[in-house]
């Protein structure tokens, strides 16, 4: 507390979050109910403000609950698309897939919250993408699979690949950019 003006506090924006299995931060970090790591990069000391901290935790958990449901709606009756910028979500997934970044669902996934929506990006840390890794043999990471097919992939994206709405958006995006 003390690093913001409570009168002008906008809970709905201004958070940069990293998905990283290591949870190597001294700031705010936790795992969702399904074990997805959440590390607040900025503001790092979010846990010192219960109102902000609970807002972020609830938003991310509500999103996960919807994405993990067989209907893609959570118990509050909201579809996961109500929590996320779908255009950014599709683009993010396509970039990681096309470049075959083996860290997908493990490390270096960033997203932020803007105006109450989760926005995936920016994409970064592609040193282990496009086959650029020397510590693995040829059969470890095949090029003929989508990210959703990978065994080590996290539940959010694995579940998304089961949703016809998400896969149709990806297909539309692929056909618009493939040439």
């Amino acid at each position: 507390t003390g690093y913001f003006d409570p009168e002008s506090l906008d809970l709905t924006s201004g958070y940069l979050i990293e998905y990283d299995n290591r949870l190597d931060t001294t700031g705010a970090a936790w795992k969702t109910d399904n074990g997805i790591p959440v590390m607040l990069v900025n503001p790092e000391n979010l846990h010192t403000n219960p109102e902000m901290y609970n807002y972020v935790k609830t938003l991310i958990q509500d999103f996960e609950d919807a994405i993990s449901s067989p209907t893609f709606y959570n118990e509050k009756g909201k579809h996961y698309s109500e929590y996320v910028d779908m255009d950014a979500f599709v683009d993010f997934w396509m970039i990681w897939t096309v470049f075959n970044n083996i860290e997908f669902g493990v490390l270096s996934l960033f997203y932020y919250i803007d105006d109450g929506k989760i926005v995936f990006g920016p994409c970064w840390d592609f040193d282990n993408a496009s086959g650029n890794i020397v510590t693995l043999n040829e059969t470890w990471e095949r090029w003929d699979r989508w990210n959703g097919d990978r065994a080590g992939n996290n539940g959010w994206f694995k579940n998304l690949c089961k949703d016809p709405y998400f896969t149709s958006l990806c297909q539309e995006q692929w056909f618009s950019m493939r040439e």
Side-chain angles (χ1 to χ4, degrees), residues 17-88:
I17 304 157
E18 183 178 5
Y19 175 110
D20 187 329
N21 280 336
R22 297 175 291 207
L23 286 175
D24 55 352
T25 182
T26 57
W30 67 91
K31 287 194 175 192
T32 64
D33 290 351
N34 289 341
I36 304 297
V38 178
M39 288 187 344
L40 264 290
V41 175
N42 192 4
E44 184 177 1
N45 294 315
L46 183 69
H47 58 287
T48 65
N49 182 304
E51 188 177 8
M52 294 170 74
Y53 183 71
N54 289 331
Y55 175 81
V56 172
K57 279 188 83 166
T58 300
L59 179 70
I60 292 170
Q61 192 58 59
D62 287 349
F63 168 71
E64 178 179 279
D65 291 347
I67 234 171
S68 301
S69 163
T71 64
F72 301 104
Y73 286 85
N74 61 22
E75 290 181 358
K76 295 178 179 178
K78 290 184 141 196
H79 191 263
Y80 70 84
S81 62
E82 296 179 62
Y83 296 99
V84 68
D85 177 317
M86 288 303 294
D87 292 334

Side-chain angles (χ1 to χ4, degrees), residues 150-165:
R150 295 189 180 145
N153 194 5
N154 78 64
W156 289 354
F157 293 95
K158 197 171 205 92
N159 288 345
L160 273 175
C161 291
K162 298 174 189 171
D163 180 21
Y165 173 65

Side-chain angles (χ1 to χ4, degrees), residues 162-175:
K162 298 174 189 171
D163 180 21
Y165 173 65
F166 180 75
T167 57
S168 68
L169 291 176
C170 289
Q171 185 178 32
E172 288 172 15
Q173 180 66 334
W174 171 249
F175 284 117

Side-chain angles (χ1 to χ4, degrees), residues 5 11 15 24 44 72 92-93 98 111 120 126 129 178:
D5 176 7
L11 289 176
Y15 310 96
D24 55 352
E44 184 177 1
F72 301 104
F92 186 82
W93 185 84
V98 168
Y111 54 100
F120 279 81
F126 278 64
R178 70 182 180 166

